[in-house]
Amino acid sequence: MQFFERPGTGERAVLVHLATTFDTEDLNELEALAHSAGAQPVAIMRGGRRQPDPRFFIGKGKLEELKQAVVCNDAQLVLFNHALTPSQERNLEKELAVRVVDRTGLILDIFAQRARSYEGKLQVELAQLQHLASRLVRGWTHLERQKGGIGLRGPGETQLETDRRLIGQRIRQIQQRLRKVAKQREQGRNARKKAELPTVALVGYTNAGKSTLFNSLTQAQVYAADQLFATLDSTLRRIELPGGNAAVLADTVGFIRHLPHELIAAFRSTLQETCEAEVVLHVIDATSEQREENIEAVNAVLKELGIDQARVIEVFNKIDKIQRTPRLEYNAEGRPSRIWLSAQTGEGLGLLCQTLTEVVAADKIHAKLHLAPAQGHLRAQLFRLGNVLSDTVGDDGGWDMEVELPRKHQVLLDAVECRS
């Protein structure tokens, strides 16, 4: 059986969107993803089925229609707004004689283009290789050939087997390098813990305005654009809050519906900043027609990462486009739960900073203590862990102290004498 040689280039694309009973992807989002990847959509094929066809995902009639669309528009690429199985992808490529890329492959391609840091490039390559490993079955003609020739004849390992082995080796190399980078990140987190700087993480659906908000709060120059996945690499900056408090603000990769599991796994070390953050700001595009669906998609990823919703504050961004005024809303427990603002114009930023100050302050304990002369080791620990407001020598040779320290160190206060 002959298989076609996959073309190396070609960006004219036919988009395929099939409405099914279990899959409700957005066609506009597929077009945005295609443009973000650098493709030029030349035709859109819509359809509907109760269940996908196990062989081609689309039915035979739609397959013929798709063939005509590819030929008539001189397309070199077909983009599906769905996750295809490896066999469906191969069967479609055989019939259409052009590259077929599903939603997962398209997102991976965008990530590969946008990654800038050493860690980000490793994470994307790992996700791509893990995705590719399941698709190395008779997809390319050269993979069927056995190695051979004068001086090369041997055990008869096929090119397919060689590629599988090389991919496995490369995956192990990348995982080893990422473990080293993860250790470096852990050292940075430990340094911030010693300095008792709380971390505030920005999360949200892609293109919700996280990077714009990050720049507005930190005066940084992180790249921000009106496109999906404009930035991938996690960025950390110190911010000064009202009342003399400080925190570390972390900007992370944007989420999307049905974010490939390979990416969640590969970016887990980067997303660790979010997992350990004291406050998580869920940035939401208040103007989006799919606002509720996007919120659910982000919450699903946060749940997969094990993040408690009690730490999450929803930030509704872009209120300048819908003529809303900045405001702060509280939940039933009296905790800030929702803020309306505009990162572009700055409306509501002061409200956000004041809220962060209150949340950070709520996690601290203010106490007056008396330490006995034999408790010098506790005094040294308090200086290392907390904000010592005053420290004077008592009549008994001990110390009268006024401190402010994180609530998680309550056990330390229980070991000393507290004064009203």
Side-chain angles (χ1 to χ4, degrees), residues 1-6 87 89-95 97 137-145:
M1 183 182 298
Q2 293 296 318
F3 283 74
F4 73 97
E5 293 285 353
R6 290 168 68 105
S87 61
E89 190 175 300
R90 291 191 299 273
N91 292 336
L92 285 165
E93 288 188 334
K94 178 188 173 185
E95 293 291 329
V137 184
R138 298 172 65 86
W140 290 261
T141 308
H142 76 278
L143 296 184
E144 297 176 335
R145 304 173 190 149

Side-chain angles (χ1 to χ4, degrees), residues 334-396:
R335 176 184 172 86
S337 61
R338 182 175 292 183
I339 299 175
W340 298 76
L341 55 76
S342 170
Q344 189 69 42
T345 65
E347 299 174 82
L349 289 184
L351 197 60
L352 174 61
C353 291
Q354 188 62 46
T355 301
L356 290 177
T357 300
E358 294 176 6
V359 172
V360 170
D363 290 332
K364 290 186 177 182
I365 304 173
H366 185 274
K368 293 182 179 180
L369 315 170
H370 176 74
L371 299 182
Q375 294 179 309
H377 63 289
L378 292 177
R379 177 172 176 267
Q381 195 170 357
L382 287 170
F383 269 101
R384 186 169 63 253
L385 293 176
N387 182 18
V388 178
L389 305 178
S390 66
D391 177 38
T392 57
V393 178
D395 295 337
D396 61 350

Side-chain angles (χ1 to χ4, degrees), residues 65-82:
E65 183 181 333
L66 182 55
K67 283 183 182 179
Q68 292 297 321
V70 169
V71 174
C72 294
N73 292 280
D74 191 26
Q76 300 91 19
L77 179 66
V78 174
L79 299 177
F80 272 74
N81 198 20
H82 315 274

Side-chain angles (χ1 to χ4, degrees), residues 167-236:
I167 285 179
Q169 291 175 353
R170 181 60 180 164
I171 287 176
R172 288 189 291 272
Q173 290 175 354
I174 294 175
Q175 289 173 335
Q176 184 176 4
R177 293 178 183 178
L178 283 174
R179 282 193 289 269
K180 292 182 180 179
V181 177
K183 288 182 180 179
Q184 296 172 351
R185 278 190 173 274
E186 185 63 28
Q187 291 174 354
R189 280 192 290 269
N190 289 337
R192 292 195 296 275
K193 288 178 181 178
K194 289 182 179 179
E196 293 301 337
L197 282 176
T199 300
V200 178
L202 295 176
V203 302
Y205 207 78
T206 180
N207 205 30
K210 296 188 312 303
S211 295
T212 302
L213 179 59
F214 183 87
N215 288 337
S216 298
L217 291 173
T218 64
Q219 307 304 314
Q221 299 298 322
V222 173
Y223 178 70
D226 185 16
Q227 58 183 199
L228 303 186
F229 303 115
T231 54
L232 293 185
D233 301 311
S234 180
T235 307
L236 304 175

Side-chain angles (χ1 to χ4, degrees), residues 124-138:
V124 172
E125 184 180 356
L126 175 61
Q128 285 183 313
L129 289 174
Q130 290 173 334
H131 182 68
L132 178 64
S134 64
R135 283 160 164 73
L136 276 181
V137 184
R138 298 172 65 86

Side-chain angles (χ1 to χ4, degrees), residues 105-171:
L106 182 58
I107 294 173
L108 288 171
D109 185 83
I110 297 172
F111 271 57
Q113 295 181 42
R114 303 285 164 76
R116 293 291 178 268
S117 69
Y118 173 72
E119 181 184 19
K121 291 178 180 178
L122 285 178
Q123 290 168 327
V124 172
E125 184 180 356
L126 175 61
Q128 285 183 313
L129 289 174
Q130 290 173 334
H131 182 68
L132 178 64
S134 64
R135 283 160 164 73
L136 276 181
V137 184
R138 298 172 65 86
W140 290 261
T141 308
H142 76 278
L143 296 184
E144 297 176 335
R145 304 173 190 149
Q146 284 192 332
K147 296 171 65 174
I150 298 175
L152 295 176
R153 305 184 198 280
E157 182 179 43
T158 65
Q159 185 65 44
L160 175 61
E161 292 165 340
T162 301
D163 284 4
R164 278 178 173 164
R165 177 168 50 81
L166 292 176
I167 285 179
Q169 291 175 353
R170 181 60 180 164
I171 287 176

Side-chain angles (χ1 to χ4, degrees), residues 267-326:
F267 277 76
R268 188 166 292 277
S269 62
T270 301
L271 295 173
Q272 195 66 26
E273 301 289 351
T274 304
C275 297
E276 299 189 6
E278 282 78 4
V279 182
V280 177
L281 298 180
H282 177 182
V283 184
I284 300 164
D285 182 355
T287 67
S288 174
E289 296 179 357
Q290 288 80 36
R291 189 172 74 187
E292 295 304 320
E293 292 88 345
N294 296 348
I295 291 174
E296 291 178 6
V298 173
N299 287 339
V301 177
L302 294 179
K303 183 178 180 180
E304 186 171 345
L305 293 171
I307 294 175
D308 185 4
Q309 281 292 325
R311 290 187 284 149
V312 179
I313 299 177
E314 293 182 341
V315 178
F316 284 79
N317 189 24
K318 307 182 184 182
I319 62 171
D320 54 303
K321 296 183 179 181
I322 56 174
Q323 306 302 314
R324 297 288 291 268
T325 57

